[in-house]
Every structure is written in structure tokens, then in C-alpha cells.
Amino acid sequence: MFLRLFKYLWPERYLPEPPQTDPFDENPSPREAGPVGVLLVNLGTPASPTPRDIRRYLAEFLSDPRVIEIPRYLWLPILHCLVLARRPRRLQPRYAGIWMEEGSPLMVYSRRQAEGVQRALQARGMAVRVELAMRYGEPSIEQAITRLRQQGCQRILTVPLYPQYAASTTATVVDAVTGHVAKLRDQPELRFIKRFHQDSGYLDALARQISDYWQTKGRPQKLVMSFHGLPRYSVELGDPYYRDCLETARLLRERLALTPDQVEVTFQSRFGAARWLEPYTEPTLKTLAGQGVTEVDVVCPGFVADCLETLEEISQECRDAFLAAGGRQFRYIPALNDRPDWIEGLAALVDNHLQGWTPRTVAGRTLE
């Protein structure tokens, strides 16, 4: 009776986990190392392009104090009484317009990336299990870590799929992973990739993506590199995101052998009334059209998978704004998505951060 009462009253986080073997075995078998877990994490997406699922997704996303850095007592009433009451219905046709037969583009391409990295690492003889998680929505980080542990993973490398570091993206992934692991009795070892904005595999794949596009369609007058925006005060408080973006833009420009005046670096996706990183993408495109630039290509280096911000905001809204301002040709260059060279580059990035964790097997022989 007492044990049953104890089970219901004691917090779940402190209950013992079901043992996989007899914990009191006096002659335990050798402990197997097991495979290494790789957790790829992207931002997230509604489960469907319906107001109900969009509302559920936005409620989780915009409730994160790292995403909206406004005191909770001020922000939460605004979120629930105003934002969630109106925004989901406004976003519904936008999500519906980009939805793929397999689901959300972000989910479709992120899954393909996870599957591709799994195959690439297995081809290198590595005992690795790759799982995909979304920071907001499903599959959740908790679900993905549980699946990795069920497969015997005692070491987990977390790879936030954000090339440039920001507290509102990468750091919140770290928060979620460590927050879940803090509840576990038998915790796995953890590693994290903080950023990969200067990684050669990432930059080379981006440069080839653009070069391949130009080889078949020709070069424009201007290449606009549009990064996701961030409130200016975040950088003033110490966030390195702005510098990361500029470093990526410079390295990508050098790989493409472009001069500074052939490239514009801008920031998109403003939210709220605060001043964000500038110059803003849509006003810049209008200004270029007014200056006589009639042909632009836009690429979004901060997104490794296409999503609402690229396929709708850039490819449709910004296109319409540029053409209405006098431009004649606007082209959006797709994200890396499931390009084979990007999959190999991502696998190489993961491989580099798994050093010391993963012995390799070649022809049945283990290589340390």
C-alpha cells in the first residue's frame, strides 16, 4: 500500500528507470559500448496547414523566453489574446501554398538529411544511429532522445541545423536537450555542435548550389544573401549571430569570386515593433529596383532546408515587391535541402565531432 502511494506522490523525474538487466547481478556481462547517437534538430513546423495545428506550433514556439525576450507577465497575455487569436488563420493559406505531398517542406527535407547522414556514416563503417527532432512540434527532442537510448546509445551528439549561432535558435536546442537529460537517472554523454557557418562542407555545397544554378540560368546583376533577422538588442547584449552571418557571406562571396558590389547582405522575417538587424530584405529589393537593378537572385544561407520563410516570404512576397518596384527578373535559389554534396558535407561535419567516440569497422576489422 505504501509503495503504491509512493509511486503516485513522488515526482516522476525521481522514479527509477526500468532496468535493462538485473542491477544486482554479481557476475555482470561486459558492458557493450553500443552505437553513438546523432541528434539532428531543426526549428519545427505545424503538423498540418490548418489553423489548429498552426496555433499549437506557434504557441510553443512563441512561448520560448529565448525567442521572445519580453517579460512573461507582459508577453503571454499578448500571445494568447492577440497573436494566437489572429495569426494562425492569416498563416493558413501561406502554409497551404508551400505544402508538399509528403508534408511540410522543412520536415520532408530534414528527414531526408537525417536519412542521408545515417547512410553516409554507415558507409564509413561507423556504428551510429541518427534521429531527427524538431525544437518545436514533433518529433520532439524528448522523443528522439528516447529512441536513441532505446537503441543503446550512451553517447549523443546534438547537431542544431542552424549554421550561424543565435541564442534564440542554437541555445534553445541546448536548453531542451540538457533540460530533458537532467530528468534522467542514467544520463548519456553529450556533445553539441555550436555552429558551422565557416565549415568547408557547408560553404562548398552552397557555392556549388549557386554555381550550378547560374550555369543553367545565367548570372543576375545582383546576388542577395538574405539571413533570418534578429532583434538588434540581442546583438547589443552579446549575441554573435550578426558576425556569424557576415563571415558566412564573405566566405561564400570569395568562393563565388564575386566583388563586394555584386552582393547584398540583408535580413528578413521581422516580428514586432523593435528594431531588427538591417538592412531589411524587402525594402532593399525595392531600393535596388529603384536604382535600376532589374535582375536579382536571392539565396538564404541560414536555412539548410526550405520552409515558409524561404518558399513564401522570399520566393513569393519579396518577388512581388521587387517586380512591383520596377524589377524584371527575380529568382530564388533553393536551400541545400537533400543535395548529395550537402549530405556528405553534413556527414563529414558530424564525423569530425565524433572523434574518439566511434571506432570504425572495415571488412570486419575494427579501426580505432
Side-chain angles (χ1 to χ4, degrees):
M1 180 66 181
F2 173 77
L3 291 177
R4 187 176 303 167
L5 182 63
F6 175 86
K7 177 180 179 181
Y8 286 103
L9 294 180
W10 197 257
E12 182 181 349
R13 62 179 294 179
Y14 297 112
L15 291 175
E17 298 176 19
Q20 302 299 314
T21 58
D22 180 2
F24 299 106
D25 187 354
E26 296 181 0
N27 296 293
S29 58
R31 195 188 302 269
E32 296 183 3
V36 172
V38 176
L39 180 64
L40 301 185
V41 185
N42 215 322
L43 181 71
T45 175
S48 72
T50 62
R52 179 180 179 181
D53 283 338
I54 294 171
R55 184 179 297 107
R56 183 181 295 114
Y57 166 71
L58 289 179
E60 183 181 2
F61 174 41
L62 297 177
S63 293
D64 190 328
R66 283 197 185 268
V67 174
I68 304 295
E69 296 185 76
I70 297 175
R72 316 305 290 156
Y73 69 91
L74 292 176
W75 170 242
L76 291 181
I78 296 173
L79 173 62
H80 289 280
C81 297
L82 296 177
V83 177
L84 295 180
R86 302 174 182 177
R87 195 166 178 82
R89 291 198 176 277
R90 293 177 182 175
L91 288 176
Q92 190 275 331
R94 298 172 61 182
Y95 273 109
I98 67 165
W99 216 255
M100 302 170 66
E101 185 176 344
E102 301 169 69
S104 161
L106 182 71
M107 181 67 73
V108 171
Y109 291 122
S110 296
R111 279 177 176 160
R112 292 179 186 176
Q113 289 170 4
E115 293 165 359
V117 169
Q118 176 76 70
R119 289 192 298 269
L121 295 178
Q122 286 181 333
R124 299 180 183 209
M126 301 170 65
V128 171
R129 301 291 183 270
V130 180
E131 289 287 344
L132 172 68
M134 294 292 166
R135 176 58 186 90
Y136 311 102
E138 293 187 348
S140 70
I141 285 175
E142 180 176 345
Q143 292 167 343
I145 290 177
T146 298
R147 285 195 294 271
L148 288 173
R149 296 179 73 232
Q150 289 172 343
Q151 296 175 76
C153 300
Q154 289 295 320
R155 293 170 168 176
I156 298 175
L157 169 69
T158 299
V159 188
L161 292 172
Y162 312 115
Q164 297 77 29
Y165 174 91
S168 57
T169 53
T170 308
T172 192
V173 170
V174 177
D175 290 345
V177 171
T178 55
H180 172 61
V181 170
K183 302 174 185 177
L184 303 178
R185 185 171 296 273
D186 183 8
Q187 297 177 327
E189 288 185 69
L190 297 176
R191 287 182 184 175
F192 297 88
I193 294 181
K194 181 174 182 178
R195 54 161 67 88
F196 52 92
H197 70 298
Q198 294 180 311
D199 179 72
S200 59
Y202 157 70
L203 289 167
D204 290 345
L206 264 178
R208 283 192 292 268
Q209 169 83 331
I210 297 169
S211 297
D212 291 348
Y213 191 88
W214 286 348
Q215 188 172 2
T216 60
K217 300 181 181 297
R219 289 196 177 195
Q221 291 172 275
K222 284 276 189 180
L223 174 66
V224 175
M225 299 183 189
S226 179
F227 293 86
H228 197 284
L230 201 69
R232 187 179 178 89
Y233 63 76
S234 297
V235 176
E236 294 170 347
L237 291 172
D239 203 302
Y241 178 74
Y242 181 69
R243 180 173 180 174
D244 283 5
C245 292
L246 295 188
E247 288 178 344
T248 293
R250 175 182 60 80
L251 293 169
L252 182 56
R253 176 177 60 78
E254 291 172 355
R255 278 170 164 75
L256 294 169
L258 298 175
T259 61
D261 63 333
Q262 292 176 299
V263 176
E264 295 283 342
V265 178
T266 63
F267 297 88
Q268 64 186 83
S269 307
R270 283 179 290 167
F271 181 81
R275 184 182 178 188
W276 283 44
L277 295 179
E278 298 173 292
Y280 303 136
T281 299
E282 184 174 315
T284 298
L285 289 166
K286 293 179 180 178
T287 299
L288 290 174
Q291 294 172 347
V293 176
T294 59
E295 301 174 356
V296 298
D297 285 356
V298 181
V299 67
C300 299
F303 299 88
V304 297
D306 274 317
C307 57
L308 187 73
E309 284 82 359
T310 63
L311 297 176
E312 202 278 340
E313 180 181 355
I314 295 296
S315 189
Q316 297 179 34
E317 289 186 3
C318 286
R319 174 184 179 276
D320 292 346
F322 178 70
L323 296 180
R328 290 203 305 265
Q329 177 182 281
F330 178 101
R331 302 181 305 197
Y332 167 64
I333 300 176
L336 291 171
N337 294 327
D338 54 350
R339 278 181 63 96
D341 53 358
W342 161 235
I343 299 299
E344 286 298 323
L346 182 55
L349 176 71
V350 170
D351 189 353
N352 184 56
H353 283 79
L354 290 179
Q355 296 300 314
W357 269 11
T358 53
R360 320 299 164 85
T361 58
V362 177
R365 185 166 58 92
T366 299
L367 305 177
E368 295 296 340

